[in-house]
Amino acid sequence: MSLNLSICSNYRSFRLSSSPRACISQERLQVALGKKQEWKGQSEILEFETTDNVITDDNQKVKFGRSPPLVSALKASAEENAASFHFPGHNRGQAAPSSLTQLIGERPFLHDLPELPELDNLFAPEGPILEAQKQAAELFGASETWFLVGGSTCGVQAAIMATCLPGDTLILPRNSHISAVSAMVLSGAAPKYIFPEYDPRWDIAAGITPSQVEEAIKELEMEGRKPAAVLVISPSYHGICSDINAISKLCHSNKIPVIVDEAHGAHFGFHPQLPSSSLAQGADLVVQSTHKVLCSLTQSSMLHFSGNIVDRERICRCLQTLQSSSPSYLLLASLDAARAQLSDNHRTIFSKAIELAVEAKSVMDKIPGITLVDIPNFPMFPAIDPLRVTVGVWRLGISGFEADNILYRDFGVVSELVGTQSVTFAFNLGTKREHVLRLISGLKYLSATFLPTNSSVTRSADVANLAIFDDIDMVLSPRDAFFARKRKVSIEESLGEICGELICPYPPGIPVLIPGEVITERALQYLLHVKSKGATISGAADRFLSSLVVCDV
C-alpha cells in the first residue's frame, strides 16, 4: 500500500474561514410501569447472558446488544416512562435550548441524567459504575481504576495530594503540566525539579532519566529529606517515553511511590508497535487522558492504581474533594464505551492508524527541508509514540508557528501542537488517508516555497539558548506564593521580584515562571520571544505581557 500523491492544486485555496441524593430516596417509588430499578451490587443482581445478549435483574431483562454496563444502564434509565421532577432543568431534553439541539440534537439531553439510584454513585459505586471501573482496571492492568470527569488535571492533583503532605517534597520534571503546580498549592508540597533532557535544535524538552531521579533523591538525602513521591511525564506531548521500568525499580527500592502523568499514552500496550504502558512497567499511580488518543468525550480521564505503597483510601478522599458532586453521566458513559471499544479488538484496533502514520512519515522524510523527530534525536529514551508525528521546519527558515499558519490557512490542516521549530500532528483511530494526503501536500508546498537555494538556513534557531531554565531561585513554596498578597508591576520593573502568577506558553502548558520563584532576565526574554513568534501565553493576568503580578513580601 502506498500514498497516492495526486493532490488537486486547489487545496491551497481551502480555508477554514457524590453522596446519596437528598431529593429522591434510594428506595425509589414505583413508577408507572411498576418497575423498581435498584442496583444492589453486581454479585447479587447482574448476570451477563452471552446467549441472548441481555442484562438480567430481579424483575426484568433489558436488551443491550453488547453494550458496556454504564452505557446500558444510562440507556435503560433514559428510556423509562418516568415523571421527572429532578434536575437538570432541561428535564430529559423537554426544555433543551433550541440553539444547541439544532447543533447536536435532543438525544444528548435525554441521556444527560443526574445521580439516579439505578445509575450508581461515583463516590460510593455499587452498580454499573463499579462494574465499568472494574472492567477498565482489568483491561489496563490496574488493581483499581477511577473514572474522572475533571480531566487528567483532576487525576494528577489527586495523585499528588494522596502521596504528599504539607511540607513534603515532590520530585518532578520542570516541564510538568500546570496541574502539578496547582497540586502543590493544594497539598502544600514543595518541588524538587529535574530539568528534562533538551534538544536545542528542536527546542523540545523530552523526559527525565533514571540517573536524574537517582541524583535528585541523593541530593535530598544530603539535606536530610526524603521525597514523598516522584512524578514522571511519559510520554511527553511529543510522544517521547521515559524509562518508567528503571525509575520504578529505583524508587521502590527507596519505598517512594511513582506517579506517571500518562495523559498522552492511554493507548500504550495495545499494539506490538506501541510502547509499554506505565502500569506494565511498575508505576503506582497512572493518570490517562482517555479522550486524547482513545475515544471518550473531552474532559473524561482515568486514574489507575497499582501496588501497595499508596494509601487507597487517601486517593478516594482526594477524588471526592476534587471531583464534582454532580458528575456528567455522558462523560462517565463515554469512558465505559471507550473501554469497550478497545476491549473488542485491543490487539489490532490501532493497526491501521499505525500503518498510516508509518507510511506518512516515510513520505515526509523524503521532502527536502522537512525533518522528523525520531529515536536518534533522543537516544537516552527507550521509545517514541509512532502515532505522534513531529515535523521540523527550521531548515526552511521559518518557525513552526509560521508553518502551522500556512498549513491551516491554505490547506485546512489543523495540528495538535505548535513550537518554535516544529509542528506536531496526532494520528488516531479517526485519521483519514485523504487528510494525510492534504498534510503531505502542504508540507511539499512549504518545501517548494521556503527551502533556501543554498545549504545555509536563512533564519537561525535563536530560541535555543533561552529554553533551559537552570537558574531557578524559589523563595516561596507554590502554596505560600499563591496565598501571598500581590501587586502588579511593569515587565521592566518585574526583574528580581517574586513571581505571583503561573505563566507558560500554551500549548503544551509548560510553566516558565511559577509562583514563588524570582523573575529572571532569561525567563522574561524567553516569554517575549515565543510571544513574538505567535505562542499564546497562558496564566498571565496581562495577556500582552506589559505587566506581571508579583508577590508583595
Side-chain angles (χ1 to χ4, degrees), residues 22-39:
C23 57
I24 297 181
S25 169
Q26 293 292 330
E27 293 297 327
R28 198 176 181 193
L29 294 175
Q30 299 284 344
V31 294
L33 295 180
K35 297 184 294 184
K36 184 178 181 182
Q37 298 182 356
E38 182 178 0
W39 289 85

Side-chain angles (χ1 to χ4, degrees), residues 40-59:
K40 295 181 180 177
Q42 63 173 33
S43 61
E44 296 177 287
I45 284 202
L46 278 185
E47 296 178 11
F48 291 86
E49 298 187 26
T50 56
T51 54
D52 54 357
N53 292 323
V54 296
I55 290 179
T56 304
D57 70 13
D58 292 35
N59 303 302

Side-chain angles (χ1 to χ4, degrees), residues 103-370:
L103 180 65
I104 64 173
E106 294 182 358
R107 291 189 65 80
F109 292 94
L110 177 65
H111 296 87
D112 180 30
L113 297 173
E115 311 93 301
L116 299 175
E118 66 268 23
L119 295 181
D120 210 357
N121 182 330
L122 181 61
F123 302 109
E126 297 178 332
I129 292 179
L130 178 63
E131 177 62 21
Q133 291 185 156
K134 282 184 175 181
Q135 292 185 22
E138 181 179 2
L139 176 66
F140 289 98
S143 300
E144 188 166 356
T145 293
W146 292 272
F147 285 179
L148 307 176
V149 293
S152 288
T153 291
C154 169
V156 170
Q157 290 172 341
I160 292 174
M161 290 175 66
T163 52
C164 297
L165 297 173
D168 281 350
T169 301
L170 172 70
I171 294 177
L172 74 165
R174 179 64 184 185
N175 62 331
S176 295
H177 188 266
I178 56 176
S179 58
V181 179
S182 61
M184 289 188 286
V185 172
L186 292 167
S187 67
K192 169 68 173 177
Y193 289 116
I194 294 177
F195 298 98
E197 294 295 321
Y198 173 78
D199 188 309
R201 182 179 61 175
W202 283 91
D203 192 26
I204 286 177
I208 59 177
T209 64
S211 60
Q212 287 179 305
V213 175
E214 184 176 24
E215 182 180 357
I217 293 173
K218 289 180 177 178
E219 288 177 358
L220 289 174
E221 286 178 349
M222 293 176 64
E223 300 172 8
R225 295 188 291 161
K226 177 184 176 181
V230 172
L231 172 68
V232 186
I233 290 84
S234 181
S236 70
Y237 213 143
H238 298 90
I240 303 164
C241 301
S242 296
D243 190 345
I244 301 300
N245 183 55
I247 292 173
S248 295
K249 288 180 179 178
L250 169 67
C251 291
H252 291 166
S253 68
N254 291 277
K255 297 183 179 180
I256 302 168
V258 176
I259 304 166
V260 180
D261 179 353
E262 199 176 48
H264 293 268
H267 57 303
F268 281 7
F270 292 106
H271 190 277
Q273 290 179 256
L274 290 172
S276 298
S277 70
S278 295
L279 283 168
Q281 297 182 68
D284 300 283
L285 293 172
V286 177
V287 184
Q288 294 177 339
S289 292
T290 320
H291 65 90
K292 288 192 184 331
V293 182
L294 301 183
C295 302
S296 66
L297 294 176
T298 296
Q299 197 176 310
S300 59
S301 295
M302 295 186 192
L303 172 60
H304 302 295
F305 166 75
S306 186
N308 55 12
I309 299 179
V310 181
D311 183 350
R312 175 196 175 276
E313 296 303 319
R314 280 184 65 180
I315 300 172
C316 293
R317 289 195 296 272
C318 291
L319 287 174
Q320 190 156 9
T321 299
L322 295 166
Q323 296 226 76
S324 170
S325 60
S326 301
S328 166
Y329 277 82
L330 289 173
L331 294 181
L332 294 173
S334 78
L335 288 168
D336 192 23
R339 186 276 315 158
Q341 180 187 36
L342 186 57
S343 297
D344 287 343
N345 53 350
H346 63 275
R347 289 299 175 191
T348 59
I349 189 171
F350 283 103
S351 295
K352 290 183 179 179
I354 292 174
E355 180 183 351
L356 191 58
V358 170
E359 190 180 349
K361 284 187 280 189
S362 177
V363 176
M364 293 175 187
D365 199 39
K366 296 178 175 64
I367 300 175
I370 296 296

Side-chain angles (χ1 to χ4, degrees), residues 363-418:
V363 176
M364 293 175 187
D365 199 39
K366 296 178 175 64
I367 300 175
I370 296 296
T371 53
L372 297 171
V373 162
D374 206 347
I375 288 293
N377 302 116
F378 298 93
M380 299 180 70
F381 297 91
I384 293 180
D385 182 2
L387 293 179
R388 201 59 53 93
V389 179
T390 298
V391 176
V393 294
W394 69 85
R395 290 178 179 171
L396 300 179
I398 59 176
S399 71
F401 300 110
E402 292 168 309
D404 183 67
N405 181 60
I406 294 170
L407 290 173
Y408 170 72
R409 182 192 65 205
D410 296 342
F411 294 86
V413 171
V414 182
S415 67
E416 171 59 33
L417 175 67
V418 189

Side-chain angles (χ1 to χ4, degrees), residues 468-485:
I468 305 177
F469 306 117
D470 55 0
D471 56 350
I472 292 172
D473 182 9
M474 190 180 73
V475 178
L476 299 174
S477 71
R479 182 180 177 88
D480 289 340
F482 182 86
F483 289 107
R485 297 177 69 89

